Amino acid sequence: MTPGRRENPAHPEPAPGHPLGPLTPPPPPSAPPRAPSEPGPAPWQRITVGVAGMEFEARPPSQYAFDFPDSECEGWSTDALTLRFASVRGAKHRYYRQPRQDAARAAVHEATDSIVFAVADGVSSASESHQGAVEACRAAVERILHLLDRTSGPLDPADVAAHAAERLRQLAQWRLGITEPGPAEVARLYATTLVAGAVRPTAQGLGIELFRIGDSGAWILDRAEGRYRPLFGSKTGTDALLVTNEVSPLPLIPDRLETATGRLEAPWTLLVGTDGFGDPLGEGDGRVGAHFARHLGTPPPPLWLGHVLDFTRETFDDDRTLLALWPRNEARPR
Amino acid sequence: MAETKGVLLPAYVVADESGSMAPYQSELGGGVASLCEGLRAEPMIAAKLRLAVLGFSDDVQVRLAVADMRTETTVPRLEIRGMTNYRAVFDDLLQRIPSDVQWLRGEGYKVHRPVVFFLSDGLPTDGSAWHGPHAALTDRGRTPAAPNIIACGIGDAQAQTMVEVATRPEFAFIAKSGADVGRAISEFFHSLTASLVASGHALNSSNPQLVVNRPDQFTMAIDEVGL
């Protein structure tokens, strides 16, 4: 129950039974910039998957969210792996002037040639969740790098999760100017999901270690078959009558963390994403699955991954983040 | 194919059309119109809602079947008639809601738990006969698509009845003593629109929640019951 202030849309009330006027398009949007007149490649057209969502020019986030750009992407390769990630602001946030609340970070652990990564989805009800998502990613990546320096054994996901939660607590401490913010106060500011882990070259091949808090996910894409195998349970079972996607995000740490381990072998790609990617993907056997399978056959240019991820599809208006890792022995980047 | 076309919130407005509402017909009509316009002004939210408007008295009449308000071109019209039969409401919803949920799923959507906004101005004229179907409707074991029910009472409606109709005590509201009934009806629809828009924002997020705004001119019924 959230008794709130009254919000009256204050629109004129036509007499009952009278037809409504035409659907009012969303405010500001001016037309997208025109291509220069001189010959050259055409600008990328938004990719539509199924029925397009509403088209409009993105609006700016609030003034102090300037440090959280609409989109970001990354891409590079080590000897063993090729990494790409992209994170794009969802239509809802572009329309309602909110910053992107998803984040991703990745680094190479130089001593072992491992790739360390984190993906986070700030909880929209937390007022500074865009900061929470970025800080959780930073803290997780830093801690995994540290753990890899110290041991060649399995990663300790509880240690990484605790480190990320502590970072959020410290942030709340600074923000609120109090010495001991409680979990609820931290959550109100910075609650976020988190998936983090590493892919390590070993004598047996590329080893995957992951854990998650909340409903962000990870999949193995079998590029030969175009199929997706989830590494974590679905938040909504295929047969469930109703959707129940409530999650317990950081700073809460469940007693038993969800973890996943495995090998990354050809012709597979490891995908790690927020629900903005996972929800439209579903089980991967529809148009969205085919869309990504088509574009992830080989590592695309990082900017193209962002474009592919920024597809339009009616009702799917959440931020989207996707991180992908290809074994390098059989896939050469484009 | 398991790919979903989206996740929808089915929302049902169930309005009392009994004879005692006759003086307030224009407020009822205006309220429904403002609800429709409010949702059309938020097409991104409306895309994730499906709205039904039902009028009840001796029976239930469908004024708007589960509709996409972005494309709906007429405003449903409520008609004053008959008594205040609550059993008819819950018998109807017990059939209608599971059927609608299955239909939406068959159309390729996933579905959030439905929500019912119930507005009544009087005591049920069928005594306690409605308790059985209401219990069946709201029991998630017996009815997996059991809705959340927000109950708002105006006029002669009693706080205790609204608490019994609502699925949570904090979802039950009663018009303040002495409140103008017509204005309370308008506030009900304003609050309903705001609640749907706010809930629509929260859908598909990591923290989906039904947001219920207390209408102006109303108090929480549980507070009245406790007095």
Side-chain angles (χ1 to χ4, degrees):
Chain A
M1 171 64 200
T2 311
R5 62 189 169 83
R6 174 186 148 198
E7 295 177 26
N8 179 358
H11 291 284
E13 300 174 0
H18 286 199
L20 290 165
L23 184 63
T24 309
S30 58
R34 295 178 66 87
S37 55
E38 58 266 23
W44 293 345
Q45 299 296 309
R46 191 101 185 267
I47 299 170
T48 297
V49 179
V51 179
M54 204 166 70
E55 282 299 320
F56 58 96
E57 175 68 12
R59 306 165 85 188
S62 58
Q63 61 185 359
Y64 290 115
F66 60 85
D67 210 15
F68 300 86
D70 179 275
S71 306
E72 60 183 343
C73 56
E74 173 71 296
W76 36 257
S77 293
T78 63
D79 287 344
L81 291 157
T82 291
L83 171 129
R84 300 285 186 265
F85 79 66
S87 182
V88 299
R89 190 159 62 128
K92 185 171 61 182
H93 290 162
R94 285 173 176 160
Y95 186 78
Y96 289 105
R97 299 201 55 193
Q98 292 173 310
R100 175 170 49 89
Q101 295 165 353
D102 276 10
R105 291 291 184 267
V108 61
H109 182 255
E110 292 167 348
T112 61
D113 210 27
S114 305
I115 291 183
V116 175
F117 52 83
V119 165
D121 177 359
V123 173
S124 54
S125 57
S127 60
E128 308 294 327
S129 62
H130 48 297
Q131 289 189 342
V134 170
E135 284 302 328
C137 286
R138 286 176 179 151
V141 168
E142 287 167 7
R143 191 61 179 178
I144 295 172
L145 290 171
H146 172 76
L147 293 176
L148 290 176
D149 280 343
R150 296 178 53 159
T151 177
S152 59
L155 290 174
D156 179 355
D159 179 287
V160 179
H163 191 76
E166 172 60 15
R167 179 69 59 84
L168 299 184
R169 195 193 67 80
Q170 290 171 352
L171 206 56
Q173 195 176 30
W174 171 80
R175 171 88 181 202
L176 298 173
I178 57 178
T179 52
E180 288 300 329
E185 290 171 298
V186 178
R188 270 196 294 274
L189 286 169
Y190 300 119
T192 181
T193 74
L194 177 67
V195 186
V199 176
R200 292 198 259 185
T202 69
Q204 291 76 39
L206 295 166
I208 302 170
E209 293 173 86
L210 288 170
F211 76 94
R212 76 166 176 180
I213 296 171
D215 63 355
S216 296
W219 301 260
I220 292 291
L221 167 62
D222 182 335
R223 284 171 276 121
E225 302 284 334
R227 289 183 182 169
Y228 298 80
R229 177 167 59 87
L231 297 180
F232 298 108
S234 161
K235 68 183 179 185
T236 304
T238 309
D239 298 328
L241 186 68
L242 300 178
V243 173
T244 54
N245 52 343
E246 291 187 36
V247 298
S248 292
L250 277 174
L252 297 177
I253 301 175
D255 292 336
R256 290 191 61 183
L257 278 172
E258 286 186 89
T259 60
T261 57
R263 299 263 164 235
L264 183 56
E265 300 170 350
W268 295 345
T269 299
L270 172 65
L271 305 179
V272 181
T274 58
D275 61 352
F277 166 77
D279 284 351
L281 178 71
E283 296 187 1
D285 53 357
R287 295 181 187 188
V288 175
H291 168 65
F292 282 99
R294 183 164 59 249
H295 289 283
L296 300 181
T298 56
L303 287 168
W304 185 254
L305 176 62
H307 183 60
V308 167
L309 188 62
D310 197 24
F311 67 90
T312 174
R313 180 167 171 78
E314 187 180 56
T315 80
F316 292 103
D317 54 15
D318 203 359
D319 297 339
R320 298 184 191 133
T321 297
L322 178 63
L323 181 147
L325 285 167
W326 289 258
R328 192 131 184 262
N329 56 358
E330 45 87 36
R332 288 285 177 260
R334 282 181 264 153
Chain B
M1 184 177 291
E3 182 177 73
T4 177
K5 287 164 71 177
V7 187
L8 300 179
L9 173 65
Y12 297 82
V13 178
V14 180
D16 192 336
E17 294 182 326
S18 62
S20 53
M21 293 289 275
Y24 314 110
Q25 187 159 16
S26 68
E27 285 88 350
L28 276 174
V32 171
S34 72
L35 169 64
C36 295
E37 283 295 318
L39 292 178
R40 285 172 62 83
E42 297 281 1
M44 201 170 296
I45 301 298
K48 292 186 277 189
L49 298 175
R50 292 294 180 271
L51 182 72
V53 178
L54 309 175
F56 79 95
S57 59
D58 299 319
D59 61 6
V60 171
Q61 297 286 327
V62 179
R63 304 305 179 198
L64 176 69
V66 172
D68 181 343
M69 296 310 292
R70 296 171 300 167
T71 54
E72 187 62 34
T73 55
T74 57
V75 176
R77 186 181 188 113
L78 297 171
E79 294 179 11
I80 303 304
R81 61 205 173 87
M83 308 290 278
T84 311
N85 188 333
Y86 279 21
R87 174 167 191 149
V89 172
F90 299 113
D91 275 339
D92 181 273
L93 294 178
L94 191 53
Q95 301 301 315
R96 183 180 305 282
I97 290 179
S99 170
D100 286 348
V101 167
Q102 286 296 357
W103 179 72
L104 291 170
R105 281 170 52 84
E107 291 290 299
Y109 294 99
K110 291 184 177 176
V111 182
H112 287 285
R113 185 166 298 287
V115 57
V116 172
F117 293 87
F118 178 90
L119 175 69
S120 178
D121 81 328
L123 292 168
T125 51
D126 55 321
S128 60
W130 59 276
H131 286 170
H134 177 274
L137 174 69
T138 55
D139 181 341
R140 296 182 182 185
R142 282 187 282 175
T143 307
N148 289 304
I149 302 177
I150 291 91
C152 293
I154 54 178
D156 293 333
Q158 293 191 346
Q160 179 63 42
T161 309
M162 293 303 108
V163 171
E164 290 171 3
V165 169
T167 46
R168 291 167 59 175
E170 61 269 35
F171 286 174
F173 302 97
I174 192 84
K176 291 175 183 171
S177 177
D180 177 85
V181 174
R183 188 175 164 201
I185 291 170
S186 299
E187 294 296 344
F188 166 80
F189 282 100
H190 290 152
S191 168
L192 195 169
T193 307
S195 297
L196 284 176
V197 170
S199 298
H201 275 294
L203 297 180
N204 303 353
S205 71
S206 301
N207 187 26
Q209 58 182 333
L210 179 65
V211 181
V212 179
N213 292 347
R214 178 181 59 79
D216 274 4
Q217 308 295 314
F218 284 76
T219 59
M220 283 180 61
I222 191 68
D223 293 340
E224 299 290 319
V225 171
L227 288 175

